[in-house]
Amino acid sequence: MDEKKNYPFHELYLKREWSYTTGAVLLTLLAIALVIVTGKAWGVTGSFGMWGGWFLNLFGANVDAWDGFKGTPVSTYNFWMDNTAITDLGIVIGAFLAVLLAAQFKIKKIKNGRQVVAAVIGGLLMGIGARLSLGCNIGALFSGLPAFSLHGWVFFVCIFIGAAVGSQFLKKYFI
Amino acid sequence: MSEISVTGKIARSGATRRETPEERQRKATIQISAGVLLIAAIVAVAFYSQGANPKGAYIWIIGIGLGYVLQRSRFCFTASLRDPILTGSTTLTKAVIIALALSSVAYAALQIKATGMNLETLEVAKLPGWIRDVGIHTVIGGFLFGIGAVLAGGCASGTLMRMGEGFAQQWLSFVFFVVGSVIGSVLLPLMQAAGLYRKGAVYLPQFFGGWVPALIVQFALLATLYVLADWYGKKKSGEL
């Protein structure tokens, strides 16, 4: 049975992948729309530290008193007032919607211990790196470099060097 | 190489057990129906968020759009940096450079609109876009982030996108991403105390003494990177 012929609409509009360039143009438009609507640029990881702090706060840690959280108290944190948090959740749900409509959703389990180690180390390094450099690939690179900030360019060069080193680790230990 | 299931692209093309057309058909119907229900839920959340935040619904819908576009176009910043090294492909690298160049045009317009051409008196922190302190902390942070993103198989946006796609590995790395963010937040003041933090952002139009040289440098650098990526990709694929 040729599904492509039976469901041309689904195939053309919901299932066919878009080109990288289409993605580049649409992401730029959405990111700029966000700047115009909120006055602030797109970021992703800014909220992650707040969520972690908020979680620790639940267990009695007085995170507000920590040096790194001064100025951004977690005890009064409100998810729906945090623009970054809303777009973060939107990205997860938007991607979920895209795979569902394409009928391509599938839970991909972790296959082996090496993937666990890679996820743990990789997640930790990204979290630390994002906080030290004051932004991630979105906050520093995609909303910094085009905004004519030198930190975006420096981040771009350094993330590339890091990726080169990471690729060597990946080849050596994780493949 | 087929073991790189951390990369969405390779994993998705991996062959699975053959399903009969009927099974496939039923699965597709269920998923598309679930997708339609999800759209209703997204609209409901839009109404809710508008009550909780004056711009909530706009931000929420833009977020949904970002996730949808990232997933459909398999746009991954990590892969754009990793693929040239691992596979020699620079298609995605070139797309990222296009996105950066287009965004530069938009930010130039927004920033000039916000402040005019006068670069003497502006407050950099109030400009559209993130213009932040740059120094050794940016170098250390970027380097660590680059290693982490390649190991975890997704950067910040890519991790969130793959969580939505159903990758268990990215749910795990997300948890540790949050843990790392708390560690990083605690480390940052310590770095400042140790002198590993430089205060002061560098805004290129101010640095170069005008919009014209700043725009020339910005686009010349991006164009150079594009040509370099194009040449490298062709060389690796044997076209040159």
Side-chain angles (χ1 to χ4, degrees), chain A residues 1 3 7 10 14-20 23-28 30 32 34-35 37-38 41-42 44-45 48-49 51-53 66-69 80-81 83 86-108 110-112 114-116 118-134 136-139 141-151 153-156 158-160 162-167 170-171 174-175, chain B residues 3-5 9 12 16 24-25 28 31-32 35 38-39 42 45 48-49 52-53 55 58-60 62-75 77 81-82 85-86 91-92 95 99-100 102-104 106-108 110-111 128-134 137-139 141-152 154-157 160-161 164-169 172-174 176-182 184-189 197 202-205 211 215 218 221-222 225:
Chain A
M1 187 170 77
E3 286 163 35
Y7 303 103
H10 184 251
L14 297 173
K15 202 166 177 187
R16 198 170 67 178
E17 287 179 338
W18 302 350
S19 75
Y20 291 141
V25 173
L26 292 176
L27 282 179
T28 302
L30 286 166
I32 296 303
L34 193 66
V35 180
V37 167
T38 65
W42 182 20
V44 171
T45 49
F48 290 9
W51 297 343
W66 297 4
D67 264 355
F69 286 90
W80 293 102
M81 287 304 284
N83 298 351
I86 301 175
T87 45
D88 283 355
L89 183 64
I91 292 169
V92 179
I93 304 298
F96 183 43
L97 176 67
V99 274
L100 279 181
L101 292 179
Q104 288 167 338
F105 181 74
K106 188 167 180 291
I107 291 179
K108 285 107 179 166
I110 295 177
K111 287 191 202 112
N112 52 47
R114 282 178 302 180
Q115 284 195 343
V116 173
V120 171
I121 299 177
L124 283 174
L125 287 178
M126 279 197 285
I128 296 169
R131 290 286 48 79
L132 296 188
S133 59
L134 316 175
C136 52
N137 61 301
I138 302 300
L141 180 56
F142 196 45
S143 302
L145 188 151
F148 304 93
S149 174
L150 183 63
H151 93 299
W153 279 104
V154 173
F155 188 82
F156 195 20
C158 295
I159 192 182
F160 182 67
V165 172
S167 301
L170 199 66
K171 270 198 246 180
F174 296 105
I175 296 178
Chain B
E3 268 281 315
I4 326 179
S5 51
K9 197 173 144 197
R12 213 176 305 158
T16 47
R24 207 161 42 227
Q25 180 91 38
Q31 292 209 4
I32 294 166
L38 186 59
I39 292 175
I42 288 169
V45 171
Y48 172 79
S49 63
N53 178 331
K55 285 168 179 166
Y58 298 93
I59 302 168
W60 169 243
I62 290 172
I64 294 288
L66 289 168
Y68 196 94
V69 172
L70 283 167
Q71 203 286 326
R72 283 292 79 198
S73 58
R74 300 146 295 141
F75 206 87
F77 287 84
L81 300 164
R82 176 204 62 205
I85 296 156
L86 231 47
T91 329
L92 194 47
L100 292 174
L102 285 174
S103 302
S104 299
Y107 274 112
L110 288 172
Q111 290 176 347
W130 300 128
I131 296 135
R132 286 170 170 162
D133 295 351
V134 54
H137 61 277
T138 320
V139 174
F143 181 69
L144 294 179
F145 192 94
I147 299 176
V150 170
L151 289 185
C155 48
S157 54
L160 293 174
M161 173 193 95
E165 284 186 306
F167 280 88
Q169 196 192 13
L172 183 64
S173 69
F174 169 75
F176 284 89
F177 205 147
V178 171
V179 173
S181 297
V182 173
S185 300
V186 172
L187 274 179
L188 194 59
Y197 187 96
V202 176
Y203 181 49
L204 295 177
W211 269 106
L215 288 170
Q218 179 95 349
L221 279 175
L222 287 171
L225 284 178

